[in-house]
Amino acid sequence: MILLIEPQFAEAYSNLGTTYRAIAANSDSDSTNAVLLQSTKSQLHQQELLFRLHPQTIPESVSQLHPSLSIPTSSGCPPSTIELAERYYRIAISIRPKYWDASVNLAGLLTSQSRYHEALEVYTNLEQLFGISYPTAKLPESDSEFVELAMVIERTDQSNVIKRRDLVYSKGNLFYALGDHVAAKREYLKALVVSKIDLLSVYNGITIEHPSIDGDETVSGILMTVAKMYQDEGNSIAIMFYFAAVSVKATPNTCNNLGILLAAQGSVEQAVKWYRVGLTLDPQHVHLYTNLGSALKDLGNVGGAVECYQKAIALHPGFWIALANLANLWKDMGRVDEAIILYRKALEAKPEFIEAFCNLVNSLLFVCDWNGREENLKKVYDIVKQQLNEGKLPTVLPFHTFTYSSLTAWMVREISRRNAERVIVGIESSTWFPKFPKRPISLLLEAVKKEPKNFRICSAGLEQSLHYPYPYPPPTNLNPITQLPTFKNHKIRIGYVSSDFVNHPLAHLMQSVFGMHNRNKFAVFCYSLSPSDSSIFRHKIEFESDVFVDVSRWTIPQIVERIVADRIHILCNLNGYTKGARNEIFAARPAPIQMAFMGFAGTMGAGKVWDPINNSREARDGWKEGAALLGLDELVNEWSDDKFEIDWELQAIRERWIDYMVVDEIVCPRKLVCGELLDENELDVGHALRGAVSKNSDENRVYTEAMIYMPQSFFVNDHRQGFREEEDIEIEKIVLNSGKILEIESVKLDAKVLEKDENGEKKFADMLLDDGWDSEDELEEEERLKWRKEEIKRLKMRREIFPDLQENM
């Protein structure tokens, strides 16, 4: 009826559009919609009569878009209800171009049909009509500079703040859906500027780290969205936006995301705090319980971790992540059978859960369950290959690669490399990390590119570039207080980092190493990642170190700062990829030389792999061109291949956070070391179990570190230091007399033992006493006697433990 009285009444057309849209959205509902549709058709019929009787009343814009159930669409069929809704919105906008609600509703309708470009056009037209426009060219490069520009342009009246905020937020979502994340982020930043958020303080690292529960949830959501985008980019500013989000309005999801990021940066105790805040907001949040459990596990609170995982499972019995995490915990505690049950439950809930499957396979191998072994190993191979080809972090852990014989050497190396990359990305996204400095000439090139006659850009990074390529100044012999030279403090400072300075095999083997350094040349610092267990091993290592620090409750930044303050020259990783490791310490590069030793029997993957594309002459010539721009012709002329190679090595410091590995040539043959130059006779292709080694590439080589080869064995064994044993008189007599009948109390090895078996082969005892045994030919007499004693001792133990076991078994 309204349109019969006022044909140009825009609100009526907009309301008709909304009505048709509601009908389309509820087309399968009961007869109510049928009645509503019939009523609407009646109104349309009355409008048709009016337009025919009084055509002069129809605006030109309306006549062009005038809808009718009798008007066919481009397909030749009558228009659908959703098409009619769109036409009515467009009529309303044509009558009143600044009609905000009709424009927003039309854009929403187009978005629901995935017509994102058309929706963006509607929003952009509306912005221009209200006089809001940004320059189309030369927008600031940095987000903080863009925010400064937005603060000048976005002079929105207080009464229109919510409308303007929602519009640019919607535009951001459209750009995100189209894959233009840069444009999306800019729209989100506009929305935050309109909402009066002090983004400049956020970018400067000034935020309120206390939760609020009364703020605007939409603004908090926008802040969290921007934080997640920065997090995905590896930008350290992400955590500031998360803190800003919870300070506006804390939500369970924001607390969860913030906790995840803090835990990834090594601030596990802070992560625990925010998980607990989230649980006060939603005590039924299974993700919060699960992540809290993982954080407590990292802090050594196993009981708390189990309680959290079990709570999550009680709330959601099929929650596969909690099931798998609890299984991992049981597996670490040696309760492998219980872990297998939980892994199977997780796979029942989510059959495509790759992490649970790989851990299940590893657990089955652990308990010698060979059912389906070959099929499982083939599936693990396929999973790893696909993940590596897709550039993903493989599900298989570096430590588990030893048990998967199906993996090639290339896969084994790349699994460690991807984990190493993840660690360095986590460190570089941390706000506390000072970053790796730019090469001095790079600062000059950047200045030339941005402002050829203005080199002020160099000043910010100049001080840090003086210790390029390291993020922290290398240790000196200056007094840390007076900064004056101290000639007495000339020792090389070695730092050992481990979670195993407790009753652990590594401590059993290395307990005496720390006290056996030459104190005239070296100072020994030990940083323990685990609290004291009051064992004799812990006490011995604490007592024999120059400095022993329990950093088990410290954050990664605190540990790194302490190592830098201790002026460590060589930092040694005794964990590798094992339980309790905190490899982020090494990724932050607190020491100029960093190495791995003992703890992990594989590559850390934190080093370069020879790549002829990235290490090409073209890369070097690119630097030459840049130097020429600065007029540094002398540098260009003197730039030799050797100098380029040195420079390339320095630039590789960032990803090469383990420089050396202490090994021997038996366990780590040269042919498996990346970058080693090999002769044809060293390739040994016929015996390659995990792939043939190539002379000209690193394709099937494993180790990215430079090797420090020990002359005999790298493996430290403190058995004799820790467990001195009395000589066995009976064994002494046997060896000295070269007896043919062994008379040992409680164990008699008579002439029958020395007889040959049914196949004519010598029995084991006979071989022990045979002077012609090949393995002893090259031994000195003293070494031969020691070896003979050891083997007879083993034979004696064997007969005591297994008296009925045949000698040739």
mmCIF file of all heavy atoms in Angstrom, residues 68-84 87:
data_model
loop_
_atom_site.group_PDB
_atom_site.id
_atom_site.type_symbol
_atom_site.label_atom_id
_atom_site.label_comp_id
_atom_site.label_asym_id
_atom_site.label_seq_id
_atom_site.Cartn_x
_atom_site.Cartn_y
_atom_site.Cartn_z
ATOM 1 N N SER A 68 9.247 -7.507 -11.485
ATOM 2 C CA SER A 68 7.896 -8.061 -11.525
ATOM 3 C C SER A 68 8.019 -9.563 -11.640
ATOM 4 O O SER A 68 8.956 -10.070 -12.238
ATOM 5 C CB SER A 68 7.110 -7.516 -12.722
ATOM 6 O OG SER A 68 5.916 -8.240 -12.875
ATOM 7 N N LEU A 69 7.116 -10.246 -11.053
ATOM 8 C CA LEU A 69 7.161 -11.704 -11.145
ATOM 9 C C LEU A 69 7.019 -12.157 -12.588
ATOM 10 O O LEU A 69 7.364 -13.281 -12.924
ATOM 11 C CB LEU A 69 6.044 -12.312 -10.287
ATOM 12 C CG LEU A 69 6.222 -12.166 -8.769
ATOM 13 C CD1 LEU A 69 4.986 -12.691 -8.063
ATOM 14 C CD2 LEU A 69 7.456 -12.907 -8.303
ATOM 15 N N SER A 70 6.460 -11.310 -13.437
ATOM 16 C CA SER A 70 6.276 -11.702 -14.835
ATOM 17 C C SER A 70 7.486 -11.387 -15.694
ATOM 18 O O SER A 70 7.538 -11.775 -16.858
ATOM 19 C CB SER A 70 5.040 -10.986 -15.422
ATOM 20 O OG SER A 70 5.262 -9.573 -15.353
ATOM 21 N N ILE A 71 8.494 -10.659 -15.127
ATOM 22 C CA ILE A 71 9.666 -10.297 -15.915
ATOM 23 C C ILE A 71 10.646 -11.458 -15.908
ATOM 24 O O ILE A 71 11.072 -11.896 -14.839
ATOM 25 C CB ILE A 71 10.351 -9.035 -15.349
ATOM 26 C CG1 ILE A 71 9.371 -7.855 -15.397
ATOM 27 C CG2 ILE A 71 11.625 -8.708 -16.114
ATOM 28 C CD1 ILE A 71 9.928 -6.603 -14.763
ATOM 29 N N PRO A 72 11.007 -12.001 -17.061
ATOM 30 C CA PRO A 72 11.935 -13.136 -17.075
ATOM 31 C C PRO A 72 13.358 -12.689 -16.780
ATOM 32 O O PRO A 72 13.724 -11.545 -16.999
ATOM 33 C CB PRO A 72 11.807 -13.683 -18.494
ATOM 34 C CG PRO A 72 11.441 -12.490 -19.308
ATOM 35 C CD PRO A 72 10.589 -11.621 -18.424
ATOM 36 N N THR A 73 14.177 -13.617 -16.290
ATOM 37 C CA THR A 73 15.603 -13.350 -16.069
ATOM 38 C C THR A 73 16.346 -13.685 -17.344
ATOM 39 O O THR A 73 15.758 -14.063 -18.364
ATOM 40 C CB THR A 73 16.132 -14.214 -14.923
ATOM 41 O OG1 THR A 73 15.992 -15.588 -15.271
ATOM 42 C CG2 THR A 73 15.367 -13.943 -13.640
ATOM 43 N N SER A 74 17.670 -13.552 -17.293
ATOM 44 C CA SER A 74 18.498 -13.844 -18.465
ATOM 45 C C SER A 74 18.361 -15.291 -18.894
ATOM 46 O O SER A 74 18.608 -15.633 -20.045
ATOM 47 C CB SER A 74 19.961 -13.514 -18.171
ATOM 48 O OG SER A 74 20.406 -14.259 -17.046
ATOM 49 N N SER A 75 17.959 -16.160 -17.949
ATOM 50 C CA SER A 75 17.814 -17.576 -18.282
ATOM 51 C C SER A 75 16.472 -17.882 -18.941
ATOM 52 O O SER A 75 16.227 -18.993 -19.358
ATOM 53 C CB SER A 75 17.955 -18.425 -17.013
ATOM 54 O OG SER A 75 16.911 -18.108 -16.103
ATOM 55 N N GLY A 76 15.609 -16.854 -19.027
ATOM 56 C CA GLY A 76 14.303 -17.058 -19.626
ATOM 57 C C GLY A 76 13.246 -17.491 -18.643
ATOM 58 O O GLY A 76 12.089 -17.647 -18.997
ATOM 59 N N CYS A 77 13.618 -17.690 -17.361
ATOM 60 C CA CYS A 77 12.677 -18.122 -16.335
ATOM 61 C C CYS A 77 12.276 -16.937 -15.470
ATOM 62 O O CYS A 77 12.989 -15.929 -15.415
ATOM 63 C CB CYS A 77 13.314 -19.203 -15.465
ATOM 64 S SG CYS A 77 13.825 -20.664 -16.390
ATOM 65 N N PRO A 78 11.157 -17.038 -14.782
ATOM 66 C CA PRO A 78 10.784 -15.965 -13.859
ATOM 67 C C PRO A 78 11.856 -15.791 -12.794
ATOM 68 O O PRO A 78 12.518 -16.755 -12.409
ATOM 69 C CB PRO A 78 9.471 -16.471 -13.263
ATOM 70 C CG PRO A 78 8.957 -17.461 -14.239
ATOM 71 C CD PRO A 78 10.161 -18.096 -14.855
ATOM 72 N N PRO A 79 12.060 -14.577 -12.294
ATOM 73 C CA PRO A 79 13.100 -14.341 -11.295
ATOM 74 C C PRO A 79 12.811 -15.079 -9.996
ATOM 75 O O PRO A 79 11.660 -15.220 -9.590
ATOM 76 C CB PRO A 79 13.071 -12.829 -11.083
ATOM 77 C CG PRO A 79 11.692 -12.422 -11.479
ATOM 78 C CD PRO A 79 11.300 -13.334 -12.594
ATOM 79 N N SER A 80 13.868 -15.546 -9.348
ATOM 80 C CA SER A 80 13.733 -16.214 -8.059
ATOM 81 C C SER A 80 13.558 -15.173 -6.972
ATOM 82 O O SER A 80 13.733 -13.970 -7.197
ATOM 83 C CB SER A 80 14.976 -17.056 -7.774
ATOM 84 O OG SER A 80 16.109 -16.211 -7.622
ATOM 85 N N THR A 81 13.215 -15.628 -5.806
ATOM 86 C CA THR A 81 13.030 -14.686 -4.699
ATOM 87 C C THR A 81 14.333 -13.957 -4.378
ATOM 88 O O THR A 81 14.315 -12.767 -4.037
ATOM 89 C CB THR A 81 12.536 -15.439 -3.453
ATOM 90 O OG1 THR A 81 13.401 -16.547 -3.191
ATOM 91 C CG2 THR A 81 11.119 -15.948 -3.645
ATOM 92 N N ILE A 82 15.477 -14.629 -4.460
ATOM 93 C CA ILE A 82 16.746 -13.978 -4.137
ATOM 94 C C ILE A 82 17.105 -12.950 -5.201
ATOM 95 O O ILE A 82 17.674 -11.890 -4.910
ATOM 96 C CB ILE A 82 17.874 -15.028 -3.957
ATOM 97 C CG1 ILE A 82 19.054 -14.420 -3.184
ATOM 98 C CG2 ILE A 82 18.358 -15.566 -5.289
ATOM 99 C CD1 ILE A 82 18.761 -14.156 -1.734
ATOM 100 N N GLU A 83 16.736 -13.223 -6.460
ATOM 101 C CA GLU A 83 16.960 -12.241 -7.527
ATOM 102 C C GLU A 83 16.061 -11.022 -7.330
ATOM 103 O O GLU A 83 16.479 -9.878 -7.567
ATOM 104 C CB GLU A 83 16.704 -12.881 -8.893
ATOM 105 C CG GLU A 83 17.773 -13.887 -9.282
ATOM 106 C CD GLU A 83 17.427 -14.651 -10.559
ATOM 107 O OE1 GLU A 83 16.222 -14.865 -10.818
ATOM 108 O OE2 GLU A 83 18.354 -15.031 -11.275
ATOM 109 N N LEU A 84 14.838 -11.263 -6.888
ATOM 110 C CA LEU A 84 13.942 -10.141 -6.611
ATOM 111 C C LEU A 84 14.470 -9.308 -5.452
ATOM 112 O O LEU A 84 14.381 -8.076 -5.468
ATOM 113 C CB LEU A 84 12.542 -10.666 -6.287
ATOM 114 C CG LEU A 84 11.766 -11.269 -7.472
ATOM 115 C CD1 LEU A 84 10.507 -11.938 -6.984
ATOM 116 C CD2 LEU A 84 11.444 -10.179 -8.497
ATOM 117 N N ARG A 87 17.109 -7.015 -6.770
ATOM 118 C CA ARG A 87 16.557 -5.922 -7.585
ATOM 119 C C ARG A 87 15.932 -4.840 -6.706
ATOM 120 O O ARG A 87 16.094 -3.656 -6.954
ATOM 121 C CB ARG A 87 15.516 -6.478 -8.563
ATOM 122 C CG ARG A 87 16.131 -7.352 -9.633
ATOM 123 C CD ARG A 87 15.101 -7.768 -10.663
ATOM 124 N NE ARG A 87 15.670 -8.690 -11.628
ATOM 125 C CZ ARG A 87 15.015 -9.125 -12.702
ATOM 126 N NH1 ARG A 87 13.766 -8.722 -12.913
ATOM 127 N NH2 ARG A 87 15.591 -9.960 -13.541
#
